[in-house]
Amino acid sequence: EGSFKSWGYAMAEREFGDKVYTWAQWEKTKADKGQDAANAEQDAALKGGAILIKDAIADIALQQVLTRPKDFDVIATLNLNGDFVSDALAAQVGGIGIAPGANLSDDIAVFEATHGTAPMIAGQNKANPGSIILSAEMMLRHMGWLEAADLVVKGISGAISAKTVTFDFANEMDDAVVQTTAEFGDRIIENM
């Protein structure tokens, strides 16, 4: 993890040096010129439009993404910590059953549900399909099919607002009507 942090700072400074300010730069300036100079340098960089790149150890990052989510725009992490963070963030919006996923590069985009296979309910028509449906919504938006993407969001929002949801959401709502996976899909379509 320490190397990942160092590599990330080095890459950001090398590839985007005039557009970023890293905590590695702050630490170097602090060591060379003192904390006041480092703070002034960071303030000037941010006022000039630079993006702040900082690090946090996993446990404090998990707290801060929940208590101060506006402090985070992008999170770069290794796989295991990324799994923990993404599940914690998904809990903020209803759980992993509704959280979409995307893996993007300059040339390739892959969209997928953020959760695994849910083997305990596999084949029982109980799983919340929201994660994969919203992943498809992001794919449509990525492709520029905005009207179709908006319809998907309208459908999901309508089904949830009407409290016609799968068991995972129903457990968190008063007076919800539990839907099977297929029924929830029908409710989404009806609300498009």
Side-chain angles (χ1 to χ4, degrees):
E1 292 177 355
S3 293
F4 181 79
K5 175 185 82 168
S6 298
W7 297 330
Y9 283 149
M11 188 278 299
E13 292 169 16
R14 182 181 64 249
E15 301 290 328
F16 307 101
D18 60 334
K19 297 179 178 82
V20 302
Y21 186 82
T22 71
W23 275 12
Q25 291 171 296
W26 185 90
E27 289 288 349
K28 183 176 183 334
T29 301
K30 178 185 171 194
D32 294 345
K33 301 177 185 174
Q35 185 169 336
D36 289 342
N39 288 340
E41 180 181 80
Q42 179 178 309
D43 289 344
L46 298 181
K47 286 178 183 167
I51 296 170
L52 178 62
I53 299 178
K54 58 185 181 176
D55 64 85
I57 59 174
D59 59 348
I60 195 67
L62 283 168
Q63 174 188 321
Q64 291 175 347
V65 296
L66 299 174
T67 60
R68 299 185 347 221
K70 291 183 180 182
D71 288 355
F72 297 85
D73 293 315
V74 173
I75 298 173
T77 184
L78 298 170
N79 191 48
L80 182 59
N81 287 336
D83 191 37
F84 298 150
V85 171
S86 66
D87 286 358
L89 292 173
Q92 292 291 91
V93 297
I96 59 175
I98 199 74
N103 302 286
L104 306 169
S105 76
D106 291 338
D107 304 312
I108 298 170
V110 176
F111 300 86
E112 61 183 345
T114 57
H115 56 77
T117 59
M120 291 174 50
I121 59 170
Q124 297 178 36
N125 201 22
K126 290 182 178 181
N128 185 335
S131 180
I132 195 67
I133 292 170
L134 288 173
S135 298
E137 180 274 334
M138 288 195 313
M139 180 186 69
L140 293 168
R141 200 164 298 283
H142 179 75
M143 293 169 32
W145 295 9
L146 304 182
E147 185 178 343
D150 290 343
L151 284 172
V152 172
V153 170
K154 182 180 175 192
I156 291 256
S157 297
I160 293 170
S161 295
K163 297 184 178 185
T164 52
V165 293
T166 52
F167 78 96
D168 57 327
F169 276 14
N171 288 338
E172 303 297 325
M173 297 177 167
D174 293 330
D175 305 319
V177 178
V178 176
Q179 304 287 290
T180 65
T181 304
E183 289 168 339
F184 185 57
D186 291 340
R187 300 301 79 79
I188 293 168
I189 294 166
E190 289 169 2
N191 284 284
M192 288 181 145

